[in-house]
Structures are given as structure tokens and as C-alpha cells.
Amino acid sequence: MLKKNNKSFTTISDVAKYAKVGKTSVSRYLNGEQDKLSEELREKIAQAIAHLDFRPNHSARMLRAGHSKLIGLLLADVTNPYSIDVLQGIEHVCRREGYMLMVCNTDNKKDLQDSYLSLLEAHRVDGIIVNTAGMAQKQVSNLKRISCPLVLVDRINTSLGFDTVGLDNEAAAKEACEHLQAQAYDSILVVTESIAIDPRQARVDAIQAFTKENDNITCDVIEIEKMSVSLLVKVITNFIAAHPNRKKAIFTTNGVAMMSTAKALKQLDIRIGTQIGLISIDDPEWAQLFEGGITVMRQPTQLIGQTACERLLARVQGNNEAPQHIKLKAELVIRHST
């Protein structure tokens, strides 16, 4: 009689030998075909599995079937609240569909990105989702060498031949501008991190297009590679001085720029909502608490993650239609700041 073996893996052959049944019967039992077995056989196999503490090698079974049930997720910055929410949306779909998620954080480093891509390929993942927030175009282009299905999050360019899922940046920026206009703001300062990132460029372009169509509204844009509160203090001071007798507002293109701008205004002792307006794309938790709350265009970040994962699984399951660029709508959340 076989006994439990804690030093090596128990195999299907061991289970069959202990239960005194054929390997085919054990395989059917494990693969959900128990209705093809008699009650006596099912009982024998169940007792053998329990006695030997047998744990099926699901990875090997999946690979033999042609898929691993693994999904890779490549993040440019895992500390970014946007990335965290997208991750939660992806996890929800993976759990629902029986997939395991492998998460890799590149910390915005190209060598790490290449290393993780090789690692994911070595694990034979069924597909990869890339949250490209903060990722330069050159890094995105390197993704073309990947052989498995791939979906990009937060990327506009569809020329790479991948599905993309993200915010409708143009619509979000326009709705925010319409809100500012309705509140009689007629001078806007746009504060953004590097516009080498596609979504930020799209937001700035949409704001400038709106103010061009409405020539009673002025628009200044300041692009800062790495947000600096001290620099913003100077920029805001100059903006206020350059537009006397006008109702002024600051439009930040993401949560990072919003945080630095809020700090600069606090340092200048300028009251948000009364002395100057502030609106942003992104809605971090602290935004609703800061001096009565900051008006935002809230991104549907978890829905973006869910949609990206569902799109990827469709590709994994054989969907070969042309690449899609899916744009999801932001929600205007009005607070004290405007």
C-alpha cells in the first residue's frame, strides 16, 4: 500500500495504484468527467486523493491543453493611484474567469520592462495587459515583439496594432472647460506633467481647442517634467499678475499635478474656490477633503481595467477582428473648488 510521500510530488499513477483503478479513470475524475464513472470508482479515487494528499498540477494540464490560464500585467508605476484602480478592475475579471494574474512593476525603467516581458513570455502567459501610464512611446513600441495577445491601457496610438482602452480625454477636457465657462471663469492656467505622454497631450490639445473656439477665455499652459511646488508658486504668481480683473482657474491634467498645485496655492495662502478655481482630471481620495473638495473629472479606472481584461480574454479565445480603441467617459464631480 502507498503512503503519503512528503518528499516528492504524488502523481496520477500513484493515485490510480492506491485506488486500484486505471489512470484514465483518475484523469476523468480530475477533469470534471465524474459522471462517466460509477459511484464506487468515484469513492475509491476520492479516498486515494485524500490519503495521498494529491494536488493536481494545473499548470501542466493547462499547458498541455494549449493555454496557461495566466495573464500578465505590466505596470509603469504601481504606486500611481490610477494603476492601483486599474489593477483591481483586472483582478475582478481574472477571478471571475478563472485566470491567475502576474503583476510586474517596471518603475518606469526600460531595462525592467524588457526583463519582465521576457519573464512573462517564459511563463507562457496567455496574454498581457500593459498599463502604459508614464511610459514613453519608444518603450511602447518595443511591445511589438510580443507574440501573445496584448492590450494597452491609457494609450491613444492604435498604429501599433494593439487594442487600447482608456479615458475619452477630449470629451473629459471639454466637459471640464464647459463647467468652468458656466461658472464664469475666463482665464485658465493648465498645469501638466510631460506631454510626451499621449493622454496628457490630448487633454492639453482639447483645452486649447475649447479656449480657441471661445475667444473670451484665455489659456496659458505650463509643462513641468517633474512637479515642483516652488516652481509652481512662481508660475501661479505670474499667472495671477498677468490676468487682473478676470476670474481665474487652474486646470491640472492629472492627480500628481493637482497635488503639487494645491500645495503651491496653500503656500501662497490663496483660497481655493473663492480666490481661484481648481479643476483636475483624476479623483484621488484626498481631493474630496482638501479645503472643501476639488472639482474633478473622475476616470472610470476600475471599469477601464475590467474592459481591458475582457478585451484581452476575447483575443485569447480567438477573436481576430481589427484592433479597437475603446474610450470610456469621465464623470464630472463638482465640489467647492469651482
Side-chain angles (χ1 to χ4, degrees):
M1 179 182 291
L2 285 172
K3 296 182 179 179
K4 293 182 185 178
N5 187 343
N6 295 323
K7 295 182 180 180
S8 62
F9 291 109
T10 304
T11 66
I12 287 179
S13 295
D14 294 332
V15 174
K17 189 173 181 179
Y18 182 88
K20 297 180 181 179
V21 300
K23 286 171 60 177
T24 301
S25 296
V26 178
S27 181
R28 284 177 172 172
Y29 182 93
L30 296 172
N31 289 314
E33 300 179 53
Q34 297 181 17
D35 57 323
K36 295 181 180 179
L37 305 174
S38 68
E39 186 176 346
E40 182 183 1
L41 275 178
R42 292 198 299 269
E43 184 64 27
K44 283 183 178 181
I45 294 170
Q47 289 178 358
I49 288 172
H51 178 81
L52 298 173
D53 193 23
F54 173 68
R55 299 180 185 182
N57 187 335
H58 291 291
S59 295
R61 288 165 58 203
M62 290 300 101
L63 289 174
R64 284 195 295 273
H67 50 88
S68 64
K69 299 294 282 186
L70 292 173
I71 294 297
L73 173 60
L74 202 64
L75 299 174
D77 179 9
V78 76
T79 65
N80 187 323
Y82 175 91
S83 298
I84 294 170
D85 285 346
V86 168
L87 166 61
Q88 290 176 337
I90 293 169
E91 278 187 319
H92 174 77
V93 176
C94 283
R95 284 196 302 269
R96 186 186 73 202
E97 301 298 330
Y99 281 79
M100 289 282 289
L101 185 64
M102 294 181 66
V103 181
C104 302
N105 176 37
T106 70
D107 199 25
N108 284 309
K109 295 176 182 175
K110 182 184 178 300
D111 56 339
L112 270 180
Q113 174 186 310
D114 293 340
S115 174
Y116 280 135
L117 284 172
S118 297
L119 177 68
L120 292 173
E121 284 191 300
H123 279 80
R124 297 176 66 178
V125 294
D126 289 338
I128 301 174
I129 299 170
V130 183
N131 181 350
T132 59
M135 193 178 286
Q137 185 60 38
K138 185 177 180 181
Q139 289 174 276
V140 177
S141 297
N142 289 339
L143 299 171
K144 294 173 75 172
R145 69 178 179 83
I146 301 301
S147 57
C148 66
L150 193 147
V151 173
L152 303 182
V153 170
D154 197 42
R155 184 61 46 162
I156 293 170
N157 188 349
T158 55
S159 65
L160 295 170
F162 302 127
D163 292 316
T164 68
V165 182
L167 181 70
D168 188 336
N169 293 289
E170 294 83 359
K174 182 179 180 182
E175 186 175 356
C177 287
E178 288 172 343
H179 169 68
L180 292 177
Q181 184 182 47
Q183 299 303 310
Y185 289 100
D186 54 10
S187 286
I188 299 174
L189 171 63
V190 181
V191 177
T192 182
E193 292 185 282
S194 170
I195 54 175
I197 306 303
D198 287 352
R200 295 177 201 153
Q201 179 71 68
R203 294 165 194 175
V204 171
D205 288 348
I207 297 166
Q208 290 179 318
F210 182 88
T211 56
K212 188 175 181 179
E213 291 174 4
N214 297 270
D215 53 14
N216 62 316
I217 304 176
T218 68
C219 178
D220 299 345
V221 178
I222 178 68
E223 177 186 2
I224 303 175
E225 287 286 337
K226 291 188 176 180
M227 281 295 144
S228 163
V229 173
S230 58
L231 175 57
L232 277 170
V233 165
K234 296 176 184 177
V235 168
I236 293 169
T237 300
N238 292 337
F239 169 68
I240 291 172
H243 300 283
N245 304 317
R246 297 180 74 92
K247 190 173 182 181
K248 293 169 279 291
I250 300 175
F251 192 143
T252 58
T253 59
N254 65 5
V256 174
M258 174 170 51
M259 171 67 86
S260 296
T261 299
K263 288 179 178 178
L265 290 170
K266 192 171 184 66
Q267 191 168 312
L268 286 166
D269 197 26
I270 296 174
R271 292 190 298 278
I272 296 173
T274 52
Q275 293 178 291
I276 198 166
L278 178 59
I279 193 168
S280 184
I281 292 178
D282 279 348
D283 188 21
E285 288 187 6
W286 61 267
Q288 60 186 302
L289 305 174
F290 191 90
E291 294 190 6
I294 297 172
T295 298
V296 297
M297 297 302 301
R298 179 185 291 159
Q299 297 200 59
T301 42
Q302 290 198 21
L303 181 59
I304 287 172
Q306 290 177 25
T307 304
C309 195
E310 288 167 351
R311 190 70 201 147
L312 182 69
L313 294 184
R315 293 297 190 189
V316 168
Q317 292 158 13
N319 184 311
N320 292 317
E321 63 186 354
Q324 292 189 359
H325 180 38
I326 301 171
K327 297 181 179 182
L328 299 178
K329 192 177 185 303
E331 175 191 359
L332 173 63
V333 181
I334 300 171
R335 297 185 180 123
H336 175 71
S337 69
T338 58

